[in-house]
CSV table of all heavy atoms in Angstrom, one decimal:
chain,number,residue,atom,x,y,z
A,1,MET,N,3.1,4.6,-50.8
A,1,MET,CA,1.8,4.8,-51.4
A,1,MET,C,1.5,3.5,-52.5
A,1,MET,O,0.4,3.0,-52.5
A,1,MET,CB,1.7,6.0,-52.2
A,1,MET,CG,0.4,6.3,-52.8
A,1,MET,SD,-0.7,7.1,-51.6
A,1,MET,CE,-2.0,7.9,-52.7
A,2,VAL,N,2.6,3.2,-53.1
A,2,VAL,CA,2.5,1.9,-54.1
A,2,VAL,C,2.1,0.8,-53.2
A,2,VAL,O,1.2,-0.1,-53.6
A,2,VAL,CB,3.6,1.8,-54.9
A,2,VAL,CG1,3.5,0.6,-55.8
A,2,VAL,CG2,3.9,3.0,-55.7
A,3,LEU,N,2.7,0.6,-52.1
A,3,LEU,CA,2.5,-0.7,-51.2
A,3,LEU,C,1.1,-0.6,-50.7
A,3,LEU,O,0.4,-1.7,-50.6
A,3,LEU,CB,3.5,-0.7,-50.1
A,3,LEU,CG,4.9,-0.9,-50.5
A,3,LEU,CD1,5.9,-0.6,-49.3
A,3,LEU,CD2,5.2,-2.3,-50.9
A,4,ASN,N,0.5,0.5,-50.6
A,4,ASN,CA,-0.8,0.6,-49.9
A,4,ASN,C,-1.8,0.3,-51.0
A,4,ASN,O,-3.0,0.2,-50.7
A,4,ASN,CB,-1.1,2.0,-49.3
A,4,ASN,CG,-0.7,1.9,-47.9
A,4,ASN,OD1,-0.7,1.1,-47.1
A,4,ASN,ND2,-0.2,3.2,-47.3
A,5,HIS,N,-1.4,0.3,-52.3
A,5,HIS,CA,-2.3,0.0,-53.3
A,5,HIS,C,-1.9,-1.3,-54.1
A,5,HIS,O,-2.4,-1.6,-55.1
A,5,HIS,CB,-2.3,1.2,-54.4
A,5,HIS,CG,-2.9,2.4,-54.0
A,5,HIS,ND1,-2.4,3.2,-53.1
A,5,HIS,CD2,-4.1,2.9,-54.4
A,5,HIS,CE1,-3.3,4.3,-52.9
A,5,HIS,NE2,-4.3,4.2,-53.8
A,6,CYS,N,-1.1,-2.0,-53.4
A,6,CYS,CA,-0.5,-3.2,-54.2
A,6,CYS,C,-1.7,-4.2,-54.5
A,6,CYS,O,-1.5,-5.0,-55.4
A,6,CYS,CB,0.7,-3.8,-53.5
A,6,CYS,SG,0.3,-4.8,-52.0
A,7,GLN,N,-2.6,-4.3,-53.7
A,7,GLN,CA,-3.7,-5.2,-54.0
A,7,GLN,C,-4.4,-5.0,-55.4
A,7,GLN,O,-4.7,-6.0,-56.0
A,7,GLN,CB,-4.8,-5.3,-52.8
A,7,GLN,CG,-4.2,-5.7,-51.5
A,7,GLN,CD,-3.7,-7.2,-51.5
A,7,GLN,OE1,-4.2,-8.0,-52.4
A,7,GLN,NE2,-2.9,-7.5,-50.6
A,8,ALA,N,-4.4,-3.8,-55.8
A,8,ALA,CA,-4.9,-3.4,-57.1
A,8,ALA,C,-4.0,-4.0,-58.2
A,8,ALA,O,-4.6,-4.1,-59.4
A,8,ALA,CB,-5.1,-1.9,-57.2
A,9,LEU,N,-2.8,-4.3,-57.9
A,9,LEU,CA,-1.8,-4.7,-58.9
A,9,LEU,C,-1.9,-6.3,-59.0
A,9,LEU,O,-1.2,-6.8,-59.8
A,9,LEU,CB,-0.5,-4.3,-58.5
A,9,LEU,CG,-0.1,-2.8,-58.7
A,9,LEU,CD1,1.2,-2.5,-58.1
A,9,LEU,CD2,-0.2,-2.5,-60.3
A,10,LEU,N,-2.7,-6.9,-58.1
A,10,LEU,CA,-2.6,-8.2,-58.0
A,10,LEU,C,-3.8,-9.0,-58.5
A,10,LEU,O,-4.0,-10.2,-58.2
A,10,LEU,CB,-2.5,-8.7,-56.4
A,10,LEU,CG,-1.0,-8.3,-55.9
A,10,LEU,CD1,-1.0,-8.6,-54.4
A,10,LEU,CD2,0.0,-8.9,-56.6
A,11,THR,N,-4.6,-8.3,-59.3
A,11,THR,CA,-5.7,-8.9,-59.9
A,11,THR,C,-5.1,-9.8,-61.0
A,11,THR,O,-4.1,-9.4,-61.6
A,11,THR,CB,-6.7,-8.0,-60.5
A,11,THR,OG1,-6.0,-7.1,-61.5
A,11,THR,CG2,-7.4,-7.2,-59.5
A,12,SER,N,-5.7,-10.9,-61.4
A,12,SER,CA,-5.1,-11.8,-62.3
A,12,SER,C,-6.3,-12.7,-62.9
A,12,SER,O,-7.2,-13.0,-62.4
A,12,SER,CB,-4.1,-12.7,-61.7
A,12,SER,OG,-3.5,-13.6,-62.6
A,13,THR,N,-5.9,-13.2,-64.1
A,13,THR,CA,-6.7,-14.2,-64.8
A,13,THR,C,-6.4,-15.6,-64.0
A,13,THR,O,-5.4,-15.6,-63.4
A,13,THR,CB,-6.3,-14.4,-66.2
A,13,THR,OG1,-4.8,-14.8,-66.2
A,13,THR,CG2,-6.5,-13.3,-67.1
A,14,PRO,N,-7.4,-16.5,-64.0
A,14,PRO,CA,-7.2,-17.7,-63.2
A,14,PRO,C,-6.0,-18.5,-63.7
A,14,PRO,O,-5.3,-19.1,-63.0
A,14,PRO,CB,-8.5,-18.5,-63.5
A,14,PRO,CG,-9.6,-17.4,-63.8
A,14,PRO,CD,-8.8,-16.3,-64.5
A,15,GLU,N,-5.7,-18.2,-65.0
A,15,GLU,CA,-4.5,-19.0,-65.7
A,15,GLU,C,-3.3,-18.5,-65.3
A,15,GLU,O,-2.2,-19.1,-65.3
A,15,GLU,CB,-4.6,-19.0,-67.1
A,15,GLU,CG,-6.0,-19.7,-67.6
A,15,GLU,CD,-7.1,-18.7,-67.8
A,15,GLU,OE1,-7.0,-17.5,-67.3
A,15,GLU,OE2,-8.0,-18.9,-68.7
A,16,GLY,N,-3.2,-17.2,-65.0
A,16,GLY,CA,-1.9,-16.4,-64.7
A,16,GLY,C,-1.8,-16.2,-63.3
A,16,GLY,O,-2.4,-16.9,-62.3
A,17,ALA,N,-0.8,-15.2,-63.0
A,17,ALA,CA,-0.7,-14.8,-61.5
A,17,ALA,C,0.1,-13.7,-61.5
A,17,ALA,O,0.9,-13.2,-62.4
A,17,ALA,CB,0.2,-16.1,-60.9
A,18,THR,N,0.0,-12.9,-60.3
A,18,THR,CA,0.8,-11.7,-60.1
A,18,THR,C,1.3,-11.7,-58.7
A,18,THR,O,0.7,-12.3,-57.8
A,18,THR,CB,-0.2,-10.5,-60.3
A,18,THR,OG1,-1.3,-10.5,-59.5
A,18,THR,CG2,-0.7,-10.3,-61.7
A,19,GLY,N,2.4,-11.0,-58.5
A,19,GLY,CA,2.9,-10.9,-57.1
A,19,GLY,C,3.5,-9.6,-57.0
A,19,GLY,O,3.8,-8.8,-58.0
A,20,PHE,N,3.8,-9.1,-55.8
A,20,PHE,CA,4.4,-7.7,-55.5
A,20,PHE,C,5.4,-7.9,-54.4
A,20,PHE,O,5.4,-8.5,-53.4
A,20,PHE,CB,3.3,-6.8,-55.0
A,20,PHE,CG,3.8,-5.3,-54.9
A,20,PHE,CD1,3.3,-4.4,-55.7
A,20,PHE,CD2,4.6,-4.9,-53.8
A,20,PHE,CE1,3.8,-3.1,-55.7
A,20,PHE,CE2,5.0,-3.7,-53.8
A,20,PHE,CZ,4.6,-2.8,-54.7
A,21,ILE,N,6.7,-7.5,-54.7
A,21,ILE,CA,7.8,-7.4,-53.8
A,21,ILE,C,8.1,-6.0,-53.3
A,21,ILE,O,8.4,-5.1,-54.1
A,21,ILE,CB,9.0,-8.0,-54.5
A,21,ILE,CG1,8.8,-9.5,-54.9
A,21,ILE,CG2,10.2,-8.0,-53.5
A,21,ILE,CD1,9.9,-9.9,-55.7
A,22,ASP,N,8.2,-5.9,-52.0
A,22,ASP,CA,8.5,-4.6,-51.4
A,22,ASP,C,10.1,-4.6,-51.3
A,22,ASP,O,10.6,-5.3,-50.4
A,22,ASP,CB,7.9,-4.4,-50.0
A,22,ASP,CG,8.5,-3.3,-49.3
A,22,ASP,OD1,9.3,-2.4,-49.7
A,22,ASP,OD2,8.3,-3.3,-47.9
A,23,ALA,N,10.7,-3.9,-52.2
A,23,ALA,CA,12.3,-3.9,-52.2
A,23,ALA,C,12.7,-2.7,-52.9
A,23,ALA,O,12.2,-2.1,-53.7
A,23,ALA,CB,12.9,-5.3,-52.9
A,24,ASP,N,14.0,-2.3,-52.4
A,24,ASP,CA,14.7,-1.2,-53.1
A,24,ASP,C,15.5,-1.7,-54.3
A,24,ASP,O,15.8,-2.9,-54.3
A,24,ASP,CB,15.7,-0.6,-52.1
A,24,ASP,CG,16.5,0.5,-52.7
A,24,ASP,OD1,16.1,1.7,-52.7
A,24,ASP,OD2,17.6,0.2,-53.2
A,25,LEU,N,15.7,-0.8,-55.3
A,25,LEU,CA,16.3,-1.3,-56.5
A,25,LEU,C,17.6,-1.8,-56.3
A,25,LEU,O,18.1,-2.7,-57.0
A,25,LEU,CB,16.6,-0.1,-57.4
A,25,LEU,CG,15.4,0.3,-58.4
A,25,LEU,CD1,15.7,1.6,-59.1
A,25,LEU,CD2,14.9,-0.8,-59.4
A,26,HIS,N,18.3,-1.5,-55.2
A,26,HIS,CA,19.7,-2.0,-54.7
A,26,HIS,C,19.6,-3.3,-54.2
A,26,HIS,O,20.6,-4.0,-54.1
A,26,HIS,CB,20.4,-1.1,-54.0
A,26,HIS,CG,20.8,0.3,-54.7
A,26,HIS,ND1,20.0,1.4,-54.6
A,26,HIS,CD2,21.9,0.6,-55.4
A,26,HIS,CE1,20.5,2.3,-55.3
A,26,HIS,NE2,21.6,1.9,-55.8
A,27,ASP,N,18.5,-3.7,-53.6
A,27,ASP,CA,18.4,-5.1,-53.0
A,27,ASP,C,18.1,-6.2,-53.9
A,27,ASP,O,17.2,-6.8,-53.9
A,27,ASP,CB,17.2,-4.9,-51.9
A,27,ASP,CG,17.5,-6.0,-50.9
A,27,ASP,OD1,18.3,-6.9,-50.9
A,27,ASP,OD2,16.7,-5.9,-49.8
A,28,LEU,N,19.1,-6.5,-54.7
A,28,LEU,CA,18.9,-7.4,-55.9
A,28,LEU,C,18.7,-8.8,-55.4
A,28,LEU,O,18.1,-9.5,-56.0
A,28,LEU,CB,20.1,-7.2,-56.9
A,28,LEU,CG,20.2,-5.8,-57.5
A,28,LEU,CD1,21.3,-5.9,-58.6
A,28,LEU,CD2,18.9,-5.3,-58.1
A,29,ASP,N,19.5,-9.1,-54.4
A,29,ASP,CA,19.3,-10.5,-53.8
A,29,ASP,C,17.9,-10.9,-53.4
A,29,ASP,O,17.3,-11.9,-53.6
A,29,ASP,CB,20.3,-10.7,-52.7
A,29,ASP,CG,21.8,-10.9,-53.1
A,29,ASP,OD1,22.0,-11.1,-54.4
A,29,ASP,OD2,22.6,-10.5,-52.4
A,30,ARG,N,17.4,-9.8,-52.7
A,30,ARG,CA,16.0,-10.1,-52.3
A,30,ARG,C,15.0,-10.1,-53.3
A,30,ARG,O,14.1,-11.1,-53.4
A,30,ARG,CB,15.6,-8.9,-51.4
A,30,ARG,CG,14.1,-8.9,-50.9
A,30,ARG,CD,13.9,-7.8,-49.8
A,30,ARG,NE,12.5,-7.7,-49.4
A,30,ARG,CZ,12.0,-7.3,-48.2
A,30,ARG,NH1,12.9,-7.1,-47.3
A,30,ARG,NH2,10.8,-7.3,-48.1
A,31,ILE,N,15.2,-9.2,-54.3
A,31,ILE,CA,14.4,-9.2,-55.6
A,31,ILE,C,14.4,-10.5,-56.3
A,31,ILE,O,13.4,-11.2,-56.8
A,31,ILE,CB,14.6,-8.1,-56.5
A,31,ILE,CG1,14.5,-6.7,-55.9
A,31,ILE,CG2,14.1,-8.2,-57.8
A,31,ILE,CD1,14.8,-5.6,-56.6
A,32,LEU,N,15.7,-11.1,-56.5
A,32,LEU,CA,15.7,-12.3,-57.2
A,32,LEU,C,15.2,-13.5,-56.5
A,32,LEU,O,14.5,-14.4,-57.1
A,32,LEU,CB,17.2,-12.6,-57.6
A,32,LEU,CG,17.7,-11.6,-58.7
A,32,LEU,CD1,19.3,-11.8,-58.8
A,32,LEU,CD2,17.1,-11.9,-60.1
A,33,ASP,N,15.5,-13.4,-55.2
A,33,ASP,CA,15.0,-14.7,-54.4
A,33,ASP,C,13.5,-14.8,-54.3
A,33,ASP,O,13.0,-15.8,-54.5
A,33,ASP,CB,15.5,-14.6,-52.9
A,33,ASP,CG,15.0,-15.7,-52.0
A,33,ASP,OD1,15.5,-16.8,-52.1
A,33,ASP,OD2,14.4,-15.4,-51.1
A,34,GLN,N,12.9,-13.6,-54.2
A,34,GLN,CA,11.4,-13.5,-54.0
A,34,GLN,C,10.7,-13.8,-55.4
A,34,GLN,O,9.6,-14.4,-55.6
A,34,GLN,CB,10.9,-12.4,-53.3
A,34,GLN,CG,11.4,-12.4,-51.9
A,34,GLN,CD,10.9,-11.2,-51.0
A,34,GLN,OE1,9.9,-10.5,-51.5
A,34,GLN,NE2,11.5,-10.9,-49.9
A,35,THR,N,11.3,-13.4,-56.6
A,35,THR,CA,10.8,-13.4,-57.7
A,35,THR,C,10.8,-15.0,-58.1
A,35,THR,O,9.9,-15.4,-58.8
A,35,THR,CB,11.8,-12.7,-58.8
A,35,THR,OG1,11.6,-11.3,-58.5
A,35,THR,CG2,11.1,-13.0,-60.3
A,36,GLY,N,11.8,-15.7,-57.7
A,36,GLY,CA,11.8,-17.1,-57.9
A,36,GLY,C,10.6,-17.9,-57.3
A,36,GLY,O,10.5,-19.0,-57.6
A,37,GLN,N,9.9,-17.2,-56.4
A,37,GLN,CA,8.8,-17.9,-55.8
A,37,GLN,C,7.6,-18.0,-56.9
A,37,GLN,O,6.7,-18.8,-56.6
A,37,GLN,CB,8.4,-17.2,-54.5
A,37,GLN,CG,9.4,-17.2,-53.4
A,37,GLN,CD,8.9,-16.6,-52.2
A,37,GLN,OE1,7.7,-16.6,-51.8
A,37,GLN,NE2,9.8,-15.8,-51.6
A,38,LEU,N,7.6,-17.1,-57.9
A,38,LEU,CA,6.5,-17.0,-58.8
A,38,LEU,C,7.0,-17.3,-60.1
A,38,LEU,O,6.1,-17.8,-60.9
A,38,LEU,CB,5.9,-15.7,-58.6
A,38,LEU,CG,4.5,-15.4,-59.5
A,38,LEU,CD1,3.4,-16.5,-58.9
A,38,LEU,CD2,4.1,-14.1,-59.3
A,39,LEU,N,8.1,-16.9,-60.5
A,39,LEU,CA,8.6,-17.0,-61.9
A,39,LEU,C,9.5,-18.1,-62.1
A,39,LEU,O,10.3,-18.4,-61.1
A,39,LEU,CB,9.2,-15.7,-62.3
A,39,LEU,CG,8.4,-14.5,-62.5
A,39,LEU,CD1,9.1,-13.3,-63.1
A,39,LEU,CD2,7.1,-14.6,-63.0
């Protein structure tokens, strides 16, 4: 359900940015790898 609403989480100021990662809490390598694309 959250994934189907993720676009609503991606509004942002022009100066900032937002992103959404589909991952389980245990999949830490995936979380960190993809977080590094934005942060």
Side-chain angles (χ1 to χ4, degrees):
M1 187 82 164
V2 177
L3 290 168
N4 276 326
H5 284 75
C6 72
Q7 296 298 333
L9 293 168
L10 295 176
T11 57
S12 175
T13 58
E15 302 91 336
T18 57
F20 191 103
I21 299 172
D22 169 15
D24 181 84
L25 277 175
H26 292 90
D27 198 352
L28 301 182
D29 290 338
R30 175 173 178 153
I31 291 172
L32 289 170
D33 178 66
Q34 294 182 20
T35 298
Q37 298 178 41
L38 187 62
L39 304 187

